Amino acid sequence: MSLILHRTLFFEEYLDDEERGVKVSLEGDCYEEEPFNTLDILKISNEELEIHAKYRSYIVDVSKIDNREISELHRVVEKQNHDQRFVIKMSGK
């Protein structure tokens, strides 16, 4: 099963404000509100990611991922948050 965070930057300017931002979906879920399940808060630590979206929250174990890759994840997420649509929190648990 895959947890997917995605954003359609090329078309976002044509969307209504509530449709903009990073969408969060879990492969296999089929909820009616899924297209509007936008990312609100992302907490990144060396042990887990806490992903809080409009309709659901997820915790992902990243304890086996190298610190360099966690830093790269943070860099990529910062780019996705160019318009400050969600909160990013880093901790060094």
Side-chain angles (χ1 to χ4, degrees), residues 2-3 5 9 14 21 23 29 32-33 35-36 41 43 47-49 53 57-58 62 64 66 73 81 89 93:
S2 297
L3 181 63
L5 292 110
L9 291 174
Y14 302 108
K23 305 299 184 285
D29 276 356
E32 284 183 28
E33 70 273 359
F36 302 104
I41 301 170
K43 296 180 183 177
E47 296 186 14
E48 65 186 20
L49 297 177
S57 295
Y58 308 90
V62 294
K64 295 181 181 178
D66 163 298
L73 168 70
N81 197 26
K89 298 182 180 181
K93 283 186 181 178

Side-chain angles (χ1 to χ4, degrees), residues 52-72:
H52 300 277
K54 187 173 184 177
Y55 296 106
R56 283 175 294 292
S57 295
Y58 308 90
I59 295 179
V60 179
D61 179 4
V62 294
S63 61
K64 295 181 181 178
I65 296 176
D66 163 298
N67 287 345
R68 189 176 65 242
E69 291 180 87
I70 298 292
S71 294
E72 178 64 15

